[in-house]
Amino acid sequence: MTITLALSKGRIFEETLPLLRAAGIEVLEDPETSRKLILTTNQPEVRVVLVRASDVPTYVQYGGADLGVAGRDVLLEHDGEGLYQPLDLNIARCRMSVAVRDDFDYAAAVKQGSRLRVATKYTSIARDHFADKGVHVDLIKLYGSMELAPLTGLADAIVDLVSTGSTLKANRLVEVERIMDISSRLVVNQAALKLKREPLRRLIDAFASASPK
Ligand code: PRT
Ligand code: MG
């Protein structure tokens, strides 16, 4: 019985390694040096597949992987059934925030009821946030480098992930609202959970005991 775990390269892969180790699993290849997309482990029945962060829920939902690790941001933007989310792993932590140019008076714009142009990759989270606040926005969908939008006049504000704050600072942007805390969760395919109950349970339990509190 093979278990396939979907991870994205970078922080999610790095921060999942200690959890795998706690479950007795060592990944035998390094995604930063290897070009392989399927990585073997010291356990012949466990393999890791590398996918884009935003593709993790899709792989798990349709059974391309039995389980995966995805950020709360990615899961909120992905609308799909058939995903069981048993565990917040508390890794790859950051926050979703609203940021503007340091010379833009966000509070005044909101108070005046101005219509705001907001650039973001996270249109669903942004739409809900501004609807809750009763602020009218025109959302501009971007796929990266959101920080550039207020600097070029494309948008008044951005909704993006912030961790240390140094990216905002380097681009003369300031965080004006925290929308939510973000961490990564384990997602499991519903059918796999039935068919591979025992090995998946063991993995989920090991991850639960090893994840940061
Ligand atoms: O990079 P790619 O387009 O392939 O996909 P991705 O950006 O979705 O993947 P990746 O690996 O960068 O992020 C995976 C997950 O890590 C995200 O879905 C989040 O849940 C989580 N995470 C945690 C972060 C950050 N921290 C983070 N700081 N994801 C992105 N960032 C970016 C942020 O967008 C901004 O550009 O880092 C920059 C800000 O960082 P600071 O430290 O300068 O504030
Ligand atoms: Mg990235």
Side-chain angles (χ1 to χ4, degrees):
M1 201 164 10
T2 307
I3 300 288
T4 302
L5 169 68
L7 296 176
S8 53
K9 262 166 72 161
R11 67 191 105 221
I12 289 194
F13 181 84
E14 298 302 329
E15 296 187 37
T16 302
L17 283 185
L19 304 181
L20 284 168
R21 220 163 272 143
I25 301 165
E26 293 282 344
V27 181
L28 300 177
E29 285 139 314
D30 177 1
E32 298 307 325
T33 55
S34 164
R35 288 182 173 269
K36 285 194 191 162
L37 297 176
I38 300 181
L39 309 180
T40 54
T41 73
N42 64 338
Q43 309 220 355
E45 70 283 5
V46 180
R47 61 181 192 167
V48 171
V49 293
L50 295 176
V51 304
R52 282 295 287 265
S54 47
D55 290 336
V56 168
T58 309
Y59 267 82
V60 175
Q61 184 178 3
Y62 294 105
D66 298 306
L67 72 177
V69 177
R72 184 183 178 198
D73 50 315
V74 165
L75 292 167
L76 287 172
E77 292 295 321
H78 173 92
D79 33 30
E81 312 261 292
L83 275 182
Y84 171 56
Q85 297 186 30
L87 208 57
D88 183 349
L89 297 171
N90 262 317
I91 59 168
R93 299 181 59 126
C94 57
R95 53 196 188 267
M96 185 70 72
S97 295
V98 182
V100 299
R101 253 168 70 155
D102 61 5
D103 57 359
F104 181 78
D105 193 342
Y106 178 74
V110 166
K111 203 167 164 205
Q112 283 161 22
S114 320
R115 204 174 175 89
L116 289 178
R117 278 156 66 100
V118 179
T120 187
K121 181 169 151 185
Y122 310 98
T123 46
S124 176
I125 293 170
R127 186 174 297 111
D128 287 352
H129 173 69
F130 291 108
D132 284 350
K133 280 176 62 84
V135 172
H136 294 289
V137 292
D138 290 318
L139 291 177
I140 302 171
K141 170 87 184 186
L142 291 178
Y143 292 88
S145 303
M146 263 86 83
E147 298 85 7
L148 197 55
L151 306 179
T152 54
L154 178 68
D156 303 308
I158 59 170
V159 168
D160 195 8
L161 297 172
V162 181
S163 102
T164 60
S166 51
T167 305
L168 292 181
K169 205 167 175 199
N171 291 292
R172 296 191 48 196
L173 300 174
V174 287
E175 194 177 0
V176 287
E177 246 161 32
R178 278 187 179 216
I179 300 176
M180 62 176 75
D181 288 329
I182 300 282
S183 55
S184 282
R185 284 134 197 257
L186 196 62
V187 289
V188 185
N189 177 275
Q190 303 265 23
L193 196 62
K194 294 201 185 87
L195 294 167
K196 307 177 183 179
R197 187 156 196 98
E198 274 315 303
L200 285 178
R201 261 292 140 212
R202 271 201 303 277
L203 207 55
I204 295 168
D205 290 345
F207 274 32
S209 348
S211 85
K213 289 299 162 274

